[in-house]
Amino acid sequence: MEKQRKNQLAAIVTPLLAWYGQNARALPWRRDREPYHVWVSEIMLQQTRVEAVRGYYERFLAALPDVRALADCPEERLMKLWEGLGYYRRARNLQKAAKTVMTEHGGVFPTDYASIRALAGIGDYTAGAIASICFGQPTPAVDGNVLRIMARLTNCHQQIDAPAVHRSFDEQLRAIYPPDAGTFIQALMELGACVCTPQSPKCALCPVCGACLGYDANTQTALPVRKAKKARRVEVRTVFLLRANESLALQKRPDGGLLGGMWELPAVSGERTAEEGLEQARRWGLDPVEMEKTLHHTHVFTHIEWHMTCHVIAVSHEAGVFTWVTPEALGASYALPSAFRPFLDAYALTAKQ
Ligand code: SF4
């Protein structure tokens, strides 16, 4: 039975590699196998769609072309390059790891799995992807895409979040790795992104359909089985877009936690009416002259939802504990998470009127 299963899975290797050779998308991080390039792309692609990453990747590499440039980059500039991509801890960890590469590896990206895995922000999958793609090593590289494909290929109805299932898929895959494990892993990723997609797998176009037990059993759309997700926590907040002449008020979030150390619009928890919003502005030592408008926006993070009311208030002059910046300075130098972007866009529209 075990041998039969291995043969069934081994049958995917040749057609998958042939399909990948003809259909791989021309993505900017596939131009070479330079570890710095693969590493940056793998970190950016965590929780983020390929199309969203493309532009960021090109801009990031143009600004920070190598590990040394990343290690030496001032934090504000780094955050600005990452602005809008979300999960900002990824950028901080990238820089932390770059500093480690400079100090502990003489500026040369390590080649062995254990040293790569020890760098900040690099987990099992990312270390495996870098070691296999850049250095051809047969390391594990099982991410959500691969778990989904494996559940369907093997018609596995166990919860794929279980460590034992993850380990079993990893072992089964490593048993069939061809000599160029990196290309095989990239081919699996591509299959997951373009053909064996989460909601509607395109089995009629799939190069490994003939070896897919899920397809044979017509269970492919019911797979993979996952643990039920916990509902997101809802936080109600009131945000203030405070305008003084041409400037608006920003403050820094505390380090650590959600959006730790990032700039934000001043905010308080709970929903405040317009009158309460004006009162809050006075409490901050400001002199409000007009409540211009009230906006609403919900921003969804992985585990939390912010339900925000935003009061746009004109104040007579810059005061209080805030940092006051012009829209130009904000655009050039201050990284503001995308949760606040709809309010900023509304501000820009108002400012033009
Ligand atoms: Fe996925 Fe369908 Fe291909 Fe099976 S046949 S691997 S379910 S796309």
Side-chain angles (χ1 to χ4, degrees), residues 1-175:
M1 181 68 186
E2 206 44 49
K3 190 163 173 233
Q4 206 180 340
R5 176 173 292 188
K6 187 178 165 191
N7 288 343
Q8 171 252 332
L9 212 53
I12 73 170
V13 176
T14 304
L16 181 63
L17 288 174
W19 170 83
Y20 184 65
Q22 292 183 340
N23 295 282
R25 290 167 296 171
L27 300 174
W29 46 89
R30 287 187 180 153
R31 288 182 201 128
D32 56 52
R33 294 187 176 203
E34 160 65 36
Y36 179 64
H37 298 168
V38 173
W39 171 40
V40 170
S41 71
E42 287 294 342
I43 300 295
M44 284 187 170
L45 287 164
Q46 289 169 2
Q47 323 255 16
T48 312
R49 288 175 304 107
V50 164
E51 287 316 314
V53 166
R54 272 179 195 264
Y56 279 96
Y57 175 82
E58 301 276 25
R59 278 194 297 280
F60 193 90
L61 282 203
L64 306 173
D66 51 34
V67 181
R68 177 183 294 279
L70 172 56
D72 293 344
C73 182
E75 187 188 342
E76 286 295 344
R77 184 159 177 248
L78 181 64
M79 289 299 118
K80 192 68 196 167
L81 285 166
W82 207 269
E83 183 185 39
L85 203 48
Y87 303 98
Y88 292 87
R89 190 174 298 137
R90 293 182 297 177
R92 293 211 168 85
N93 278 334
L94 259 182
Q95 185 169 53
K96 201 167 160 196
K99 288 180 176 168
T100 305
V101 172
M102 294 309 297
T103 53
E104 293 181 18
H105 301 282
V108 179
F109 203 87
T111 57
D112 65 292
Y113 178 83
S115 302
I116 299 172
R117 176 70 180 79
L119 295 171
I122 296 189
D124 291 341
Y125 160 73
T126 305
I130 296 171
S132 60
I133 294 169
C134 304
F135 309 117
Q137 295 169 17
T139 45
V142 176
D143 74 341
N145 266 318
V146 175
L147 286 173
R148 179 176 67 254
I149 297 170
M150 283 297 287
R152 288 172 175 170
L153 278 172
T154 61
N155 196 25
C156 170
H157 290 254
Q158 290 171 275
Q159 285 183 354
I160 57 164
D161 324 75
V165 173
H166 192 122
R167 258 196 318 276
S168 161
F169 286 167
D170 177 32
E171 282 163 15
Q172 291 179 60
L173 273 176
R174 281 207 269 173

Side-chain angles (χ1 to χ4, degrees), residues 149 152-153 191 195-196 201-203 206 208-209 212 214-215 220:
I149 297 170
R152 288 172 175 170
L153 278 172
L191 189 76
V195 178
C196 195
K202 303 177 185 74
C203 302
C206 179
V208 299
C209 187
C212 181
Y215 176 76
Q220 66 274 51

